Amino acid sequence: MQSADPAVREMLDEARRRGVETVWDRYAAQLPQCGFGELGVCCRNCMQGPCRVSPFDDGPARGVCGATADTMVARNLVRAIAAGTAAHSGHAKHLAHTLKKSVQGKAPDYPVRDEAKLRAVAARQGLEADGVPAAELAARMAEAALANFSEGEEPLAWTTATVTAGRVQAWEKLGVLPVGIDSIISEIMHRTHLGVDADAVNLLLGGVACAVADYTGCHLGTDLADILFGTPQPVVSEANMGVLKADQVNIALHGHNPVLSEVIVQVARQMEDEAKAAGAAGINLVGVCCTGNEVLMRHGIPPATHSISQELPMLTGALDAMVVDYQCVYPSLVGVAECTGTKIITTMGMARITGATHVDFEEENAAAGARQIIRLAIEAFGARRGRPVQIPQYKSQVVAGFSVEAIVAALSKLDAADPLKPVIDNIVAGNIQGVCLFAGCNNVKVPQDENYLVMARELAARDVLLLATGCGAGAYARHGYLTPEAVGEYAGPGLKAVLTAVGEANGLGGPLPLVLHMGSCVDNSRAVDLAVAVANRLGVDTAQLPVVASAPEFKTEKAVAIGTWAVACGLPTHLGLVPPVLGSATVTGLLTGGIKDLLGGYFIVETDPVKAAEKLFAAIQERRRGLNLATRSW
Amino acid sequence: MPKQVLIRFERCVGCRSCQLACAVAHSEAKSLYGAVLNGEKPRARVFVHQAGEHKAPLNCRHCQDAPCIDACIAGAMHRKADDTVTNIGGEQYCTACWMCVMVCPYGAVRSDAAGTMAVKCDRECKDDQGVPACVRACPTGALVYAEVDAYSAGRRQGVLLQALGGV
Ligand code: SF4
Ligand code: SF4
Ligand code: SF4
Ligand code: SF4
């Protein structure tokens, strides 16, 4: 099975029929993949290489410079963390510059839409805000945010203000508190250059510091997006390729950053008439990957698909344009688009694809750029009018939009004075055994969504509260797990009672959804905020909570960075694929064992989803035992 | 006619994937991750060398008139029913006298890690489709598992197309 998603399977048949190559074909063509790479024991960091060392006593044990397998594996891993950090923080910096342009009056299409969030973040960050007008405060906010990137002398404001005091201490003791996001990325590139840091343990600590910077960048990304575009509130929508509409101009928003997609959402509403004049019934925006998550969370824009199936909505013949910003955008889209007539529109000067149509997007002229993009889609619709389409008739209902603010608001209907109390009481009583955050991507090496679905069913049945972000949340969206109905189907009695009590107190007449969609991959920071709030309320550290994380189908370097900071936050963190570290017993042992003594968190590598759920459940029980709470067996 | 592991030297990129796969096929775990996690140190029986400008794999040719069998005084080296040559599973044990190493014109026999017996390509590495591990692993098609005549027909076809294709 290539995918658990029937819409994906239908479109794969169509791709095969039409001879269109997809990610699954290209993966098959890559097999067998290089074993040295799989073990992490190849190095291309200098021109004396490439070098690879034998995992057996059967070939060179060192690179030309003398680097051992330990050095190579550690260097490769921390470079991946640095790349992930560069991606997330690039996203956050983009938002910070947008906010700055906004307050300078240079970006009129970006008013500050959420003053309450602006003031809440300002208070948390200790910015002088009393009596300061919103515009002035936003200017200070942009400066304060940008100050996290360059090299300062103190730990970063957004790091220390957003985690528990216990975490700050633990990180300080280990020397993993970065003093600048860009500076630690740069330091990692320096350390992994030929002949610098050759000590695997020291390198990994550098990687942890960089991951803490990645966390900081993610948090900045979430905060700034909320300030500019609004903090998500529960929203009802639909997901999967069945959301495409034959008679409308279908535009997919793909990538990660809401800066462009937000404006497209606004402008599309004003261009309905233009679409109608071209013979369409309207404009239908749909999401792909995390740009899709951003506009789902804030506007209920339905996601069409995620991650590895991103090429397939084009095969319906109904997708007129795919507008992309950056990250996780497969260059192969252009080739598929040639067969289907879809316009692939790149928008960022630093992220172009040969063969795509490029519209250089600038915050200064955002609405004009968005209009130009939508017009290209309307033109493409004109060209395909009358051609038959094949839209898979699969879509699921979705309830999304669970920011921490939204969750706390829902809980305060049960206890207005102490909103977290109902959650804590139920964890103590065992109705909720613990919490699992599902994050990450799809990976072509795993049948799409399968690990997510199996693990959610196993854990929900055992009363574990489930949170999700990124393409993991997308998987749950397409399979109907973000619905109240899924609670009846999969939740254990304790979890069901709690979700129902909260849902009913909020006038939903039923439970909250089985899985709470907290947003895009930068929004993993929201899950940390929730854990930190609970930990602070209990007077413990996040490393003591019965909270675990899982990236069961992870793919990107960003996911490697997030996984590492989840461990740094003290969470037992599951990986559903074997990361390229087995070539070094030292690195493998540290990540899955030794690091626990240093940070509380550690990696659990398990490719079987049932066994993985069992191991996470055991980790939750270990934490419950530590807090003197009653435990259960699997 | 039995199939042979034949080499298209011009295609080898020197990645050593064939060696890694051969070693894994001769491990207890039979998987890369499994062997590494168990701390096994299996040895490859295919070799990749830099020969001047060329990267070149080489393994036992399973000769019909095999000098290694004739030279094996212990009587360990023998021909199996499938026509391949091995020093394992015969009537006698390998005594590590290294006669086979000395007489093999290709240097296709090596020592085990402990120096206690000769190790060579034994074709005990085939997957469920009967393809040897080194051939399966080669990403460039430098190693082919084919009958000799089918292989040479392919080469003739290629060279003729090149010479006459445009005529
Ligand atoms: S840095 Fe060392 S191991 Fe890496 S390519 Fe250069 S010589 Fe080889
Ligand atoms: S070991 Fe050498 S001599 Fe013996 S069969 Fe193989 S290639 Fe021929
Ligand atoms: S045929 Fe099998 S035993 Fe011989 S070299 Fe190839 S992988 Fe090794
Ligand atoms: S796997 Fe193929 S390309 Fe790589 S070294 Fe072996 S023969 Fe050469």
Side-chain angles (χ1 to χ4, degrees):
Chain A
M1 185 179 61
Q2 291 166 311
S3 176
D5 182 338
V8 168
R9 291 201 299 267
E10 182 179 329
M11 283 300 100
L12 272 175
D13 285 342
E14 177 66 9
R16 241 166 262 130
R17 206 178 59 71
R18 293 168 64 175
V20 173
E21 178 197 274
T22 68
V23 67
W24 283 275
D25 302 315
R26 291 188 298 274
Y27 175 58
Q30 281 295 332
L31 293 176
Q33 287 178 313
C34 170
F36 297 101
E38 287 176 325
L39 297 175
V41 288
C42 53
C43 178
R44 292 182 294 115
N45 293 11
C46 91
M47 306 309 133
Q48 298 179 118
C51 300
R52 59 262 187 272
V53 304
S54 169
F56 309 129
D57 283 340
D58 193 26
R62 289 168 177 273
V64 173
C65 66
T68 60
D70 289 344
T71 306
M72 286 187 194
V73 168
R75 281 201 303 218
N76 291 341
L77 182 70
V78 303
R79 273 208 174 183
I81 294 171
T85 306
H88 283 138
S89 66
H91 171 151
K93 228 187 313 182
H94 190 170
L95 285 158
H97 284 298
T98 304
L99 182 62
K100 190 170 172 182
K101 287 179 191 172
S102 160
V103 295
Q104 291 172 336
K106 291 185 193 157
D109 302 311
Y110 294 98
V112 167
R113 290 220 191 85
D114 195 338
E115 191 180 328
K117 179 91 182 204
L118 172 67
R119 294 201 177 272
V121 175
R124 187 194 67 207
Q125 295 305 133
L127 299 187
E128 183 62 49
D130 272 354
V132 178
E136 170 59 24
L137 188 57
R140 290 185 196 173
M141 180 66 67
E143 288 310 324
L146 285 167
N148 288 268
F149 291 93
S150 52
E151 186 161 309
E153 275 159 29
E154 297 295 321
L156 303 175
W158 253 258
T159 315
T160 51
T162 59
V163 296
T164 57
R167 276 303 88 183
V168 176
Q169 271 166 23
W171 291 346
E172 194 163 29
K173 198 168 143 214
L174 269 186
V176 296
L177 274 171
V179 293
I181 298 173
D182 290 347
S183 88
I184 187 80
I185 295 168
S186 163
E187 181 183 309
I188 293 295
M189 298 312 283
H190 178 186
R191 283 169 84 157
T192 54
H193 185 276
L194 162 69
V196 186
D197 199 353
D199 181 78
V201 177
N202 202 45
L203 277 161
L204 290 183
L205 288 176
V208 171
C210 193
V212 170
D214 183 69
Y215 159 73
T216 308
C218 286
H219 210 298
L220 280 159
T222 301
D223 287 345
L224 296 170
D226 283 358
I227 289 168
L228 277 166
F229 307 124
T231 304
Q233 295 302 320
V235 62
V236 178
S237 185
E238 293 175 323
N240 216 339
M241 282 185 251
V243 303
L244 292 167
K245 295 185 177 138
D247 58 350
Q248 298 209 13
V249 179
N250 290 301
I251 305 175
L253 306 172
H254 179 14
H256 282 77
N257 198 312
V259 167
L260 164 66
S261 52
E262 275 288 328
V263 180
I264 290 189
V265 172
Q266 314 299 331
V267 170
R269 292 187 191 126
Q270 303 155 10
M271 291 181 71
E272 286 282 327
D273 286 343
E274 215 168 297
K276 285 182 183 143
I283 296 173
N284 183 38
L285 300 178
V286 302
V288 175
C289 289
C290 277
T291 295
N293 281 322
E294 298 278 355
V295 290
L296 167 66
M297 293 287 283
R298 295 198 181 82
H299 304 286
I301 300 294
T305 203
H306 301 89
S307 192
I308 52 174
S309 48
Q310 60 182 268
E311 298 158 300
L312 300 181
M314 288 190 268
L315 269 296
T316 61
L319 190 62
D320 298 301
M322 192 176 238
V323 186
V324 307
D325 47 82
Y326 43 52
Q327 298 169 21
C328 305
V329 177
Y330 288 177
S332 64
L333 293 173
V334 167
V336 181
E338 270 170 25
C339 305
T340 63
T342 310
K343 268 236 171 315
I344 304 291
I345 305 170
T346 54
T347 57
M348 300 291 150
M350 49 69 87
R352 297 182 64 151
I353 306 174
T354 311
T357 304
H358 186 73
V359 175
D360 211 38
F361 179 78
E362 291 169 338
E363 289 75 36
E364 288 82 349
N365 303 303
R371 222 169 282 125
Q372 189 188 348
I373 287 165
I374 295 173
R375 230 160 250 153
L376 286 169
I378 295 175
E379 260 170 45
F381 173 86
R384 79 147 160 107
R385 244 181 104 190
R387 282 209 298 263
V389 300
Q390 184 195 338
I391 299 172
Q393 292 306 304
Y394 297 99
K395 55 182 176 182
S396 303
Q397 206 215 6
V398 166
V399 186
F402 290 95
S403 59
V404 175
E405 290 84 343
I407 292 172
V408 169
L411 291 173
S412 62
K413 295 278 165 45
L414 290 175
D415 189 333
D418 190 358
L420 292 177
K421 190 164 180 291
V423 174
I424 289 167
D425 288 351
N426 278 296
I427 291 178
V428 170
N431 294 323
I432 297 176
Q433 287 290 302
V435 182
C436 181
L437 166 67
F438 283 100
C441 338
N442 290 132
N443 184 313
V444 70
K445 296 175 179 176
V446 178
Q448 187 183 20
D449 307 334
E450 185 67 9
N451 285 355
Y452 284 109
L453 302 182
V454 172
M455 290 182 70
R457 289 197 297 266
E458 293 290 335
L459 291 173
R462 291 172 176 85
D463 294 326
V464 175
L465 178 65
L466 306 178
L467 312 174
T469 58
C471 288
Y476 293 125
R478 282 177 286 110
H479 291 273
Y481 284 46
L482 304 185
T483 59
E485 290 72 34
V487 174
E489 225 168 309
Y490 303 120
L495 179 62
K496 190 172 176 174
V498 174
L499 292 174
T500 306
V502 182
E504 283 179 349
N506 283 273
L508 301 179
L512 292 181
L514 179 71
V515 183
L516 301 181
H517 189 329
M518 297 194 83
S520 62
C521 34
V522 290
D523 292 335
N524 281 306
S525 64
R526 298 192 199 274
V528 175
D529 284 351
L530 193 59
V532 168
V534 171
N536 285 339
R537 167 70 178 65
L538 283 172
V540 299
D541 191 9
T542 40
Q544 291 166 273
L545 294 177
V547 177
V548 296
S550 172
E553 302 182 20
F554 77 110
K555 165 175 66 181
T556 63
E557 292 167 310
K558 293 182 293 173
V560 177
I562 292 175
T564 307
W565 62 250
V567 167
C569 286
L571 308 189
T573 300
H574 163 246
L575 301 176
L577 291 112
V578 180
V581 300
L582 292 194
S584 163
T586 308
V587 173
T588 306
L590 195 70
L591 295 178
T592 55
I595 202 167
K596 189 175 176 184
D597 298 331
L598 304 176
L599 290 166
Y602 54 96
F603 284 105
I604 299 168
V605 180
E606 176 55 67
T607 55
D608 178 310
V610 177
K611 285 188 198 149
E614 192 173 344
K615 289 178 180 174
L616 285 177
F617 192 73
I620 285 173
Q621 298 306 324
E622 187 183 324
R623 291 289 169 87
R624 291 185 65 89
R625 213 167 295 124
L627 293 169
N628 287 320
L629 301 178
T631 58
R632 276 193 209 164
S633 50
W634 176 247
Chain B
M1 203 190 266
K3 289 185 175 177
Q4 306 291 346
V5 174
L6 299 166
I7 301 164
R8 295 193 274 191
F9 288 101
E10 70 283 6
R11 288 186 174 231
C12 177
V13 297
C15 67
R16 298 185 186 272
S17 296
C18 51
Q19 286 192 296
L20 203 54
C22 180
V24 169
H26 291 88
S27 71
E28 294 290 323
K30 306 281 179 225
S31 80
L32 177 60
Y33 291 165
V36 169
L37 287 172
N38 291 347
E40 286 187 58
K41 304 287 182 193
R43 301 209 119 187
R45 293 107 199 276
V46 57
F47 310 92
V48 183
H49 285 273
Q50 184 77 33
E53 294 287 294
H54 303 281
K55 300 161 197 299
L58 193 62
N59 61 350
C60 165
R61 305 287 83 220
H62 298 281
C63 312
Q64 280 305 313
D65 186 5
C68 60
I69 298 181
D70 298 341
C72 184
I73 297 161
M77 196 69 80
H78 65 285
R79 189 173 302 281
K80 292 190 288 183
D82 69 356
D83 223 30
T84 60
V85 176
T86 182
N87 59 340
I88 296 199
E91 283 171 16
Q92 304 296 331
Y93 291 106
C94 172
T95 58
C97 71
W98 316 122
M99 285 303 292
C100 54
V101 175
M102 290 183 269
V103 299
C104 173
Y106 306 102
V109 188
R110 73 185 302 188
S111 164
D112 70 352
T116 53
M117 73 175 281
V119 169
K120 66 180 287 298
C121 170
D122 56 6
R123 293 275 173 79
E124 299 295 329
C125 60
K126 296 210 270 287
D127 64 12
D128 47 9
Q129 286 157 45
V131 181
C134 57
V135 175
R136 175 66 75 205
C138 180
T140 64
L143 301 176
V144 217
Y145 191 50
E147 291 180 9
V148 170
D149 278 358
Y151 174 87
S152 63
R155 286 212 73 107
R156 286 195 299 277
Q157 186 73 25
V159 81
L160 288 175
L161 262 179
Q162 222 177 3
L164 306 172
V167 179

